Amino acid sequence: MCPFNIMILTIAFSFFISTFVKAFPIGVNLSPLGGNYNGIQNWEPTSPFVFINIYKHCTSLYPRATSNGGSTFPSYVPSISLNTTNGYPISLPRTSSSNFVGALCDIGAGGNFVKNGTYSVFWSGRGKLGFDPVSATIQTYNAMTSSATIVLHIPPNRGLNVRILQTNVTDPLHNIVIVPQQFAHNYTTQIFQPEFLQVLKPFNHIRFTGWQKISCNSNSKTWATRTKSISQTQHGSDGVAIEHMVDLIRVTNVSSVWFSFPMGTPNYTASMLSLLGNILPRAIATNRVVKVYIEIGASDICGDGDHHLDSIFLFDKAASIFTPFSNIKIINTASIANIAYVPYLVTWFGKALNRLQAIGVPGQFGRSVGGWDLYNSYGQWSIAYANYTVPQIQVELRRSVLMAEQMLNTMRNKFLSSLASFEFVSHYSGAHFAANNYGYRAALYTVNNCVKQHTYPCSWANTHTYFRNRSEVNASYSMLVQNASLEQKLDDLLISVQHSGDPLKQIYLDFLRRWEAIGGGLLVSSLLVRPVCNTGGGCQMNDQVFDAPVFMKNIAVVSAYPKYQALVDYAAGIRSTLPYTSADIPSLIHPKEYVCVQGCVWGTCFNNSCVCFAGYNGVDCSQLLSKPSKENDCNADIGVVPNGINDWSSEWSFVNLHLSGRAWISQDFIASAWSLPTPQNLSQAGYPRALLPTQKLGTMMMRDLRGHMRSGTFICLYDGDGIITFGMDIVAVVLGVGRIEVKVAPSTGLNNGVFLSIERTNPLDPIRNIRFIMPGFENTYRHFPFHPMFLDTMRIYKTIRFMGWQNTNGVTYGSWNDRTILEKNTRGFSGSVEVNGVSGGGNGVSIEYMILLANTLGANAWFNMPHLATDEFVRNFAILVNETLRPDVKIYIEYSNEVWGTLFNGGIYAQQQGLKMGISTDPGTARFCFYMLRSNQIFSIWKDVFGGSSRLEFVLSSQAVNPDVTSQYMKCTSVPVGKRLATTLAIAPYFGSYNQYVDKNFNVFMNKTLPSQIKSLITQVAGHKRFAKLNNLTLSAYESGEGLQGSGRDTDFALLAVRDVRMTQLYSSYYNMLRSNGMTAMMTFISTGLYSNTQTWGVLEATDQDPSTSPKYAGILNYTQSHGTCSSSQFKSLAKSPFTCSQSCSFSGVCVGPDQCECYYGS
């Protein structure tokens, strides 16, 4: 394979093409007509079906000793002298008086045949001809004195040997013509066989590279010795005459053609262009338009960068020759074999790159089946497939179509980054696959030769075979024999797949549609016809449209060839019946819905029966069980703030990890920058409506989890038409329509995680509704979206404060229409756009999911209204909660978060609004009093929606270390005292501080310093307690727990303390102290988060941590059992999961499905 560079010359003439107008430009590569080409020795079986004059298919003449009777003898004979103009012998030497040297050639050699029937033979000059095997009117005709016509009767299924037995020196025999008798009268004008023309009729493009025999090694061509229309053969080393190519253009009415030029031969290039400029316009009718693709090489880079100089010469010379034609448009083109050559092409052309206007690539599928390597350009399959059935191979082949779509789309976009515009064409397309050409069969052949010749060491680079002696051969010989047999079995199987009728046709049609979808233009199929090869070695792929010699035998039933029929159908506008998007797969677009006739009031319908929320029972989940019926019934007052939803969180909130994906990151196919400032055209649901040229949008779905993520096969489901790819900790990907299997092996290295990228999306049917499902939950994620291990860690908590899930501190919206909806691409706090690595404020988790979590666990719900929330937003939020949240839980309502300060957006906004409204000229007072005003307005809306406030707790949050903030709240006149609706005052009384320069003894720090710090909080809490009592408010903690901050060292006391068993007792005593000082609802911050040497917030370090190994969790359990309403035995007996697993997962994990255990980390 070689590089090529192309110009498209558009030549207009006066003939209007009215037949075979194609919906899409599809062409065909014409096969060599015989001889050696491109590493394949025998092309003869492809030859005898093109020309009416079958003698044009004869091999080059070769000498044989013959008798006067015409018999040949294979003994050595002298060479013969041939005319350099036409290739016929000038003379034939004698070896004796009775024997002489004859010039012979074969038609239909190599297993092919000549159609049986009656043929007429014509010639010029004088000589003696012989034919074998035939039944002829004259077997051997002597025309030494005059020219004449003879008639041959060729039997069925036989080739034909033609012999020039004698020739006259002064009037040599030449211009031999052998034509079917019915064409004897017009063979000079009827050049091509009707069947051949009929096969070409559906195509609107012809590529002549095979006819020309252009390859990387064709730079020895000379114009003086080129094949001409009068030459003895049309399949010699120079291929078919250019004049005959023009003849074919004339009679087929194609709209474009493709010529190739040898590398390093400027004289040949100039002469060929001159000839084309002379004969092509005259051969085509006046009004007809033909594009002429002109290339250097034969489709792939040959290994050096000088080809661009040949290309530039070609560009300039062609422009000068065809410029007189006013309607000629020259399009300069280059072509490559695979994506690895993109940078080389760009470098080699340099400043001349802008002269390229089209790029050609091999548009093939089947190359990388069963693997993740998009850049495998060999298409050779492993023997692991040898025992597959044809349908199983077809499934793998279909997947390879999707892999090819990805690869080709990437190639196109990489060029788009370098070229403003170009035509993306395929110079060689189709099903490209076979067993290994130089695999076990070649190795076995090598070894057998070594053994036979006693040659050691035995090696052959192509097969990686190396044996130092016979003993090493014996040790591996049985394996080689077995694997060579499997390789042969695989080759035979794959050949049968190439002929598998409609299934293969539909796969090919699907590929063609995907080629068009990525922006592909002209697609030229693989070779029209070639011999079937199943022996390995240099015969390469069986990717031909038709097989030879079978093609000739079945010319009347070409529709039996699936690849040909696919090309014809697609050109005619017919598309594949295979699913193209998930919309074509009912089970994906409309997954199975379960029916619970009685309905599920407080539960989920699954498998046609109700799975009740915690605390409910009955067929329809309408019966509220008496307490205690769930773990948090045993907990009087400790709640939790779940970690925010993001890709770096070790809390597995959802089994669909796309919900934790960060903001879409703009990237492109060429720049190495992680994030680009290119605009993103997103729908309300958060998915790209369209992509800019070369743009792709990516999201990180897991990152830096330190091994706290399951390995295995994740399932990516999506709707729409486009391309999704994956990167980082990816082991393998099995592509499918609307469903992709992604094998993940989480690592802890630099580039760890899972990155999802949308590389193509159809604006008319964009990719959307992406789901990335953890292993084991594909069939349940819709009904049970929360990870069972996450639920297990949350069951003990009485109340859930959703501040983190709502992204309260970073939210930038306040309109109801801007909220996160269930179809949103992400619910994490990176829910908007990331530019230059900085994420904007996301809109948080959908309200529906927060309600579902509270319903599932039977926990009180604490909602934070966004600081920008409109009254409409607040009212609609309240209505949704009132209608869908279970009635047995309380609801806490808070305006934003920590508005008492200006660290977060809520406080900044409150201060701005307070000053703007003239509430006060003092920034702090303005902030406090606007907070009181807006909080009361929000509380009023909720009270109105609920028709009262018996279930509602209206929260004012204050600064724990500064009770004066609470005092200033109460002094605000923005809300008259009698109209204040707040019911709860909440603070965040964290304990624990650490100074590396003071705290030198860890035992002292744990046994004295931290207990002392807990005790010191009493005064702090007491100040708020006094104001709460004066204003008839209960006292709560919106956040609580240890607040240690480390110095950045791994041996830091802060990090050591939270993992020390003594932290259990510290937590128990801490919450006991808060309770004894009037605290009611106390939210621990946060539920789960990885520890670092600077912060240690999480109660658990990861969802898959065994809770018994967490001192904080143990301390909360101890406190709960001390002050809860359950005995220890009651607590342990409460059900933790709706599923049952044998042996209780050996107490080393959680039962997450019927007999499906999820093990704790390290178990």
Side-chain angles (χ1 to χ4, degrees):
M1 295 295 187
C2 304
F4 67 77
N5 298 284
I6 311 164
M7 289 182 298
I8 302 178
L9 310 176
T10 307
I11 308 173
F13 303 98
S14 63
F15 179 76
F16 178 74
I17 306 173
S18 60
T19 58
F20 300 106
V21 177
K22 308 303 184 299
F24 188 79
I26 290 181
V28 65
N29 272 284
L30 295 183
S31 306
L33 297 190
N36 180 8
Y37 172 65
N38 210 24
I40 297 178
Q41 303 298 319
N42 178 22
W43 283 94
E44 273 71 22
T46 70
S47 61
F49 73 98
V50 173
F51 293 102
I52 287 289
N53 175 11
I54 65 172
Y55 189 73
K56 288 183 179 291
H57 293 291
C58 217
T59 61
S60 298
L61 293 169
Y62 56 91
R64 283 291 186 273
T66 63
S67 66
N68 284 329
S71 301
T72 63
F73 305 96
S75 58
Y76 172 76
V77 294
S79 60
I80 55 178
S81 299
L82 301 177
N83 186 313
T84 57
T85 300
N86 60 24
Y88 285 90
I90 299 172
S91 62
L92 294 171
R94 286 184 175 274
T95 58
S96 67
S97 58
S98 58
N99 296 327
F100 49 89
V101 175
L104 285 68
C105 69
D106 302 300
I107 305 172
N112 209 333
F113 57 92
V114 176
K115 286 190 292 186
N116 61 294
T118 301
Y119 287 76
S120 294
V121 182
F122 309 92
W123 68 92
S124 300
R126 292 184 293 165
K128 185 175 182 179
L129 292 174
F131 307 90
D132 180 63
V134 293
S135 171
T137 302
I138 303 175
Q139 178 74 22
T140 302
Y141 190 81
N142 190 337
M144 293 300 291
T145 56
S146 62
S147 62
T149 300
I150 60 177
V151 177
L152 304 177
H153 299 287
I154 300 178
N157 300 325
R158 297 296 299 271
L160 180 65
N161 179 260
V162 181
R163 307 169 182 179
I164 301 177
L165 302 175
Q166 296 181 28
T167 191
N168 185 286
V169 176
T170 59
D171 186 15
L173 191 149
H174 64 285
N175 194 26
I176 297 173
V177 176
I178 305 175
V179 296
Q181 198 167 42
Q182 66 268 32
F183 295 107
H185 66 290
N186 67 341
Y187 71 87
T188 57
T189 56
Q190 178 74 43
I191 298 173
F192 302 101
Q193 294 190 30
E195 296 91 340
F196 175 62
L197 296 179
Q198 184 65 31
V199 167
L200 294 181
K201 193 173 183 179
F203 300 106
N204 53 16
H205 175 92
I206 296 174
R207 186 168 183 248
F208 289 112
T209 306
W211 269 20
Q212 295 177 268
K213 291 191 174 179
I214 298 293
S215 69
C216 290
N217 300 317
S218 58
N219 55 3
S220 60
K221 286 178 177 287
T222 60
W223 187 250
T225 59
R226 72 177 180 89
T227 303
K228 308 173 188 67
S229 58
I230 61 173
S231 296
Q232 175 266 330
T233 180
Q234 294 294 312
H235 83 157
S237 61
D238 197 57
V240 177
I242 295 171
E243 293 86 346
H244 282 325
M245 299 178 200
V246 174
D247 287 334
L248 187 60
I249 296 170
R250 173 177 55 81
V251 299
T252 54
N253 290 328
V254 292
S255 58
S256 63
V257 293
W258 192 315
F259 289 105
S260 298
F261 292 75
M263 294 180 63
T265 58
N267 291 334
Y268 191 106
T269 295
S271 298
M272 180 174 167
L273 283 170
S274 296
L275 178 61
L276 284 172
N278 182 38
I279 65 175
L280 188 57
R282 294 186 287 108
I284 301 175
T286 312
N287 257 353
R288 182 177 170 195
V289 177
V290 174
K291 284 183 177 180
V292 181
Y293 289 71
I294 300 177
E295 63 177 320
I296 286 292
S299 77
D300 294 327
I301 290 178
C302 288
D304 63 66
D306 293 337
H307 72 282
H308 73 284
L309 300 177
D310 295 327
S311 300
I312 293 171
F313 175 82
L314 174 66
F315 301 161
D316 292 342
K317 189 67 177 177
S320 67
I321 290 175
F322 288 93
T323 295
F325 301 97
S326 60
N327 54 357
I328 292 177
K329 182 180 180 182
I330 298 175
I331 302 179
N332 303 327
T333 308
S335 200
I336 61 171
N338 60 54
I339 199 169
Y341 285 107
V342 173
Y344 295 105
L345 193 67
V346 173
T347 300
W348 290 344
F349 270 87
K351 293 181 180 179
L353 185 67
N354 59 5
R355 302 183 66 173
L356 297 177
Q357 297 167 288
I359 300 293
V361 297
Q364 298 166 334
F365 61 95
R367 287 177 169 232
S368 47
V369 170
W372 178 231
D373 180 11
L374 285 177
Y375 311 112
N376 173 9
S377 61
Y378 300 104
Q380 297 172 353
W381 289 31
S382 161
I383 59 173
Y385 294 98
N387 292 316
Y388 275 44
T389 63
V390 168
Q392 287 174 320
I393 293 293
Q394 290 165 347
V395 169
E396 297 297 323
L397 194 60
R398 175 74 191 297
R399 289 171 177 159
S400 81
V401 168
L402 303 177
M403 294 290 284
E405 180 187 21
Q406 286 187 15
M407 178 186 70
L408 293 167
N409 182 69
T410 298
M411 293 174 75
R412 178 177 179 273
N413 276 280
K414 282 188 174 291
F415 279 113
L416 270 174
S417 299
S418 302
L419 298 170
S421 63
F422 65 95
E423 183 183 354
F424 192 58
V425 301
S426 173
H427 56 262
Y428 196 97
S429 179
H432 186 86
F433 57 96
N436 198 334
N437 295 333
Y438 294 100
Y440 291 106
R441 289 171 293 181
L444 183 62
Y445 175 83
T446 302
V447 168
N448 284 337
N449 281 340
C450 291
V451 171
K452 183 178 180 180
Q453 300 169 14
H454 303 286
T455 303
Y456 299 99
C458 181
S459 64
W460 188 22
N462 281 346
T463 64
H464 307 287
T465 303
Y466 186 86
F467 299 111
R468 290 172 294 184
N469 49 53
R470 180 62 184 270
S471 296
E472 291 186 359
V473 170
N474 291 341
S476 300
Y477 192 77
S478 60
M479 178 273 293
L480 282 177
V481 171
Q482 180 181 3
N483 288 346
S485 175
L486 288 173
E487 193 173 85
Q488 185 62 54
K489 181 180 179 181
L490 174 62
D491 226 353
D492 294 338
L493 172 63
L494 296 181
I495 288 172
S496 66
V497 172
Q498 292 275 18
H499 303 88
S500 57
D502 188 67
L504 182 64
K505 183 183 86 168
Q506 298 303 331
I507 292 171
Y508 203 162
L509 283 170
D510 182 64
F511 169 77
L512 293 172
R513 184 176 181 184
R514 294 180 188 280
W515 164 260
E516 186 176 3
I518 67 170
L522 168 68
L523 182 138
V524 186
S525 80
S526 55
L527 291 170
L528 182 65
V529 60
R530 71 185 288 179
V532 175
C533 172
N534 70 339
T535 59
C539 66
Q540 301 175 355
M541 302 290 134
N542 289 292
D543 56 4
Q544 62 275 5
V545 177
F546 296 108
D547 297 333
V550 179
F551 171 71
M552 284 296 294
K553 296 179 180 178
N554 292 278
I555 191 67
V557 287
V558 292
S559 62
Y561 291 86
K563 288 176 279 189
Y564 177 77
Q565 197 59 50
L567 294 166
V568 172
D569 284 358
Y570 199 84
I574 299 173
R575 299 296 179 257
S576 175
T577 59
L578 294 174
Y580 183 68
T581 69
S582 62
D584 302 319
I585 305 176
S587 61
L588 286 181
I589 197 67
H590 298 296
K592 183 177 180 181
E593 294 292 344
Y594 299 111
V595 178
C596 295
V597 178
Q598 72 286 347
C600 300
V601 180
W602 298 112
T604 299
C605 185
F606 185 72
N607 281 339
N608 299 328
S609 62
C610 292
V611 178
C612 298
F613 297 145
Y616 277 94
N617 203 350
V619 176
D620 62 351
C621 298
S622 62
Q623 300 174 19
L624 182 63
L625 296 172
S626 58
K627 296 181 180 181
S629 62
K630 50 187 175 28
E631 285 180 71
N632 60 20
D633 286 342
C634 302
N635 179 356
D637 42 28
I638 292 188
V640 70
V641 181
N643 204 341
I645 308 299
N646 47 66
D647 60 278
W648 61 88
S649 172
S650 59
E651 185 161 61
W652 305 351
S653 306
F654 296 95
V655 294
N656 174 10
L657 292 187
H658 189 64
L659 300 182
S660 59
R662 68 178 67 174
W664 291 115
I665 302 167
S666 285
Q667 299 179 330
D668 72 22
F669 282 86
I670 200 70
S672 59
W674 171 252
S675 178
L676 298 172
T678 48
Q680 299 179 11
N681 181 5
L682 303 181
S683 67
Q684 183 188 2
Y687 291 95
R689 295 186 181 94
L691 297 174
L692 297 171
T694 78
Q695 184 185 38
K696 52 184 177 180
L697 296 185
T699 179
M700 187 73 73
M701 295 186 296
M702 61 174 80
R703 175 73 172 174
D704 292 334
L705 299 182
R706 304 183 201 168
H708 290 282
M709 179 49 66
R710 289 293 172 261
S711 60
T713 301
F714 291 67
I715 304 299
C716 178
L717 304 173
Y718 65 96
D719 298 334
D721 173 22
I723 295 174
I724 294 176
T725 62
F726 299 89
M728 296 190 173
D729 290 336
I730 308 302
V731 176
V733 172
V734 178
L735 295 173
V737 174
R739 183 182 183 276
I740 305 173
E741 297 179 9
V742 186
K743 189 174 182 180
V744 178
S747 69
T748 56
L750 179 63
N751 289 319
N752 71 83
V754 172
F755 191 76
L756 176 150
S757 182
I758 297 179
E759 297 191 349
R760 181 181 72 80
T761 194
N762 182 350
L764 300 179
D765 184 19
I767 284 182
R768 58 198 181 277
N769 193 24
I770 297 174
R771 292 136 289 164
F772 193 69
I773 312 301
M774 294 178 69
F777 298 102
E778 182 182 7
N779 296 324
T780 58
Y781 80 93
R782 292 174 59 248
H783 302 86
F784 306 106
F786 305 114
H787 198 287
M789 288 191 92
F790 166 68
L791 295 178
D792 193 64
T793 65
M794 298 290 288
R795 294 183 196 281
I796 65 169
Y797 297 113
K798 190 72 172 181
T799 303
I800 300 173
R801 184 172 182 252
F802 289 108
M803 183 270 295
W805 274 30
Q806 292 180 265
N807 190 25
T808 304
N809 294 332
V811 70
T812 57
Y813 81 105
S815 168
W816 182 251
N817 290 334
D818 292 333
R819 76 193 187 284
T820 299
I821 58 176
L822 281 176
E823 293 78 18
K824 187 77 172 177
N825 69 298
T826 175
R827 279 74 170 179
F829 65 73
S830 297
S832 59
V833 181
E834 182 170 310
V835 178
N836 296 327
V838 179
S839 178
N843 294 351
V845 176
S846 67
I847 303 168
E848 292 86 348
Y849 273 138
M850 292 186 280
I851 293 172
L852 179 60
L853 180 60
N855 282 340
T856 300
L857 296 171
N860 301 328
W862 186 319
F863 300 114
N864 298 71
M865 296 298 99
H867 65 278
L868 296 175
T870 63
D871 287 353
E872 178 196 30
F873 178 93
V874 174
R875 183 169 297 277
N876 286 335
F877 197 126
I879 290 172
L880 183 59
V881 172
N882 189 38
E883 292 176 348
T884 57
L885 184 66
R886 56 193 286 171
D888 61 316
V889 299
K890 295 175 66 175
I891 303 162
Y892 292 77
I893 305 301
E894 178 186 2
Y895 175 50
S896 193
N897 177 61
E898 294 190 351
V899 183
W900 47 260
T902 55
L903 180 61
F904 302 122
N905 289 340
I908 296 171
Y909 175 79
Q911 182 167 297
Q912 291 172 344
Q913 293 302 304
L915 293 171
K916 182 178 179 180
M917 294 171 63
I919 293 176
S920 174
T921 57
D922 175 70
T925 303
R927 180 173 68 253
F928 299 148
C929 294
F930 175 81
Y931 174 61
M932 291 289 289
L933 173 63
R934 187 57 185 151
S935 293
N936 213 65
Q937 292 170 347
I938 289 171
F939 301 156
S940 178
I941 293 172
W942 276 80
K943 183 177 179 181
D944 181 62
V945 169
F946 276 74
S949 58
S950 60
R951 294 181 61 194
L952 304 176
E953 293 287 344
F954 298 136
V955 181
L956 294 175
S957 66
S958 187
Q959 188 176 19
V961 297
N962 187 6
D964 186 58
V965 170
T966 303
S967 174
Q968 292 192 55
Y969 284 167
M970 302 310 161
K971 295 176 183 178
C972 287
T973 59
S974 54
V975 181
V977 174
K979 295 186 178 296
R980 294 175 182 175
L981 299 175
T983 61
T984 299
L985 176 66
I987 60 174
Y990 285 104
F991 78 91
S993 62
Y994 163 68
N995 187 326
Q996 62 176 318
Y997 304 107
V998 175
D999 298 310
K1000 298 293 187 179
N1001 185 299
F1002 183 63
N1003 285 328
V1004 171
F1005 181 70
M1006 292 299 297
N1007 297 332
K1008 294 184 178 180
T1009 304
L1010 289 180
S1012 175
Q1013 291 175 1
I1014 292 173
K1015 186 177 181 180
S1016 69
L1017 289 175
I1018 296 175
T1019 302
Q1020 184 183 111
V1021 173
H1024 292 283
K1025 178 182 178 182
R1026 182 173 65 256
F1027 286 116
K1029 186 176 181 179
L1030 288 173
N1031 291 275
N1032 199 28
L1033 303 174
T1034 58
L1035 186 61
S1036 298
Y1038 65 83
E1039 292 173 14
S1040 64
E1042 58 82 17
L1044 293 167
Q1045 292 186 340
S1047 62
R1049 297 176 303 153
D1050 290 338
T1051 57
D1052 194 281
F1053 284 5
L1055 181 60
L1056 297 176
V1058 292
R1059 290 174 175 156
D1060 192 281
V1061 67
R1062 286 169 285 188
M1063 184 58 72
T1064 298
Q1065 180 57 41
L1066 288 171
Y1067 253 61
S1068 295
S1069 62
Y1070 166 69
Y1071 281 113
N1072 277 320
M1073 182 276 297
L1074 293 179
R1075 178 184 177 88
S1076 64
N1077 282 274
M1079 284 279 183
T1080 54
M1082 296 173 285
M1083 306 300 111
T1084 187
F1085 185 89
I1086 56 177
S1087 55
T1088 300
L1090 291 171
Y1091 296 165
S1092 72
N1093 48 24
T1094 58
Q1095 64 89 12
T1096 56
W1097 297 113
V1099 173
L1100 295 174
E1101 296 186 55
T1103 296
D1104 62 346
Q1105 179 183 359
D1106 184 344
S1108 67
T1109 65
S1110 166
K1112 292 184 186 180
Y1113 194 87
I1116 292 172
L1117 281 180
N1118 287 349
Y1119 168 84
T1120 297
Q1121 293 180 22
S1122 298
H1123 299 286
T1125 59
C1126 308
S1127 66
S1128 176
S1129 60
Q1130 282 180 314
F1131 181 82
K1132 292 179 180 180
S1133 67
L1134 295 174
K1136 294 186 176 183
S1137 170
F1139 307 108
T1140 302
C1141 292
S1142 59
Q1143 299 181 353
S1144 301
C1145 295
S1146 300
F1147 301 100
S1148 298
V1150 175
C1151 188
V1152 298
D1155 282 322
Q1156 179 184 348
C1157 289
E1158 192 84 60
C1159 296
Y1160 293 134
Y1161 180 76
S1163 298

